[in-house]
Amino acid sequence: QGDLDGAEVLLREALKGQRETLGDRHQYTLQSINNLGSLLRAKGDLDGAAALFREAVAASRETLGDRHPRTLSLINNFGALLRDKGDLDGAAVLLREAVAATRETLGDLHPDTLFSIANLGVLLWSKGDLDGAAALGRVTLAARRETLGDRHP
């Protein structure tokens, strides 16, 4: 656990193989791009992660469509990364899209929808909109209580 450099070598090797055998737009390739981007984010290479997330979102929109759950997950991840980079306006566009689209396609109580709402709440908090962040926090807490109960970890 914690060998991020070793993990990066393996993820890059896997991604290279998938690009060569499956192509740049295959869902497994896109998942590997997302995985490598997430690892780079964890390592603090936000620019490297952003390039990968940007590629994955564009390819997923092209192949799966704007409302596919995998595309929405990638959009959400990219939005959270832009927030981390300090691009709060860019993050807001993506996170608001993710919230609206997950609500539309998956419903208000789906875990992916709640995750997107929570990410938007963190963004609002980062922008100083404490009332907006608190409102979204109440929405996610109420929905999680409704779907998971009060005793869920």
Side-chain angles (χ1 to χ4, degrees):
Q1 183 180 19
D3 182 9
L4 299 182
D5 291 332
E8 182 179 350
V9 169
L10 295 173
L11 286 173
R12 286 188 184 281
E13 182 180 327
L15 178 57
K16 182 178 184 275
Q18 288 173 328
R19 286 186 192 275
E20 290 171 359
T21 59
L22 301 173
D24 290 333
R25 300 292 189 252
H26 191 278
Q27 66 181 352
Y28 293 160
T29 305
L30 298 180
Q31 185 59 50
S32 289
I33 293 169
N34 180 67
N35 292 346
L36 180 57
S38 296
L39 176 78
L40 293 181
R41 179 181 179 197
K43 289 181 67 173
D45 181 1
L46 302 184
D47 291 333
L52 290 169
F53 284 147
R54 186 174 291 108
E55 176 188 359
V57 167
S60 190
R61 286 184 192 275
E62 180 184 309
T63 58
L64 299 174
D66 289 332
R67 296 295 184 253
H68 192 281
R70 286 192 185 111
T71 303
L72 298 176
S73 178
L74 292 167
I75 291 168
N76 191 48
N77 289 348
F78 190 25
L81 174 78
L82 291 180
R83 180 193 66 224
D84 291 350
K85 284 179 55 80
D87 180 1
L88 302 184
D89 293 335
V93 169
L94 292 175
L95 293 175
R96 289 183 191 286
E97 177 185 358
V99 168
T102 55
R103 278 185 161 154
E104 177 186 313
T105 59
L106 302 174
D108 289 336
L109 300 179
H110 191 279
D112 288 355
T113 302
L114 300 178
F115 189 65
S116 293
I117 293 170
N119 270 345
L120 181 57
V122 172
L123 172 71
L124 293 179
W125 178 80
S126 297
K127 292 180 83 165
D129 181 359
L130 303 184
D131 291 336
L136 291 180
R138 285 190 293 275
V139 167
T140 57
L141 179 60
R144 287 179 176 158
R145 280 186 170 151
E146 182 179 335
T147 58
L148 302 173
D150 286 331
R151 301 219 183 272
H152 190 276

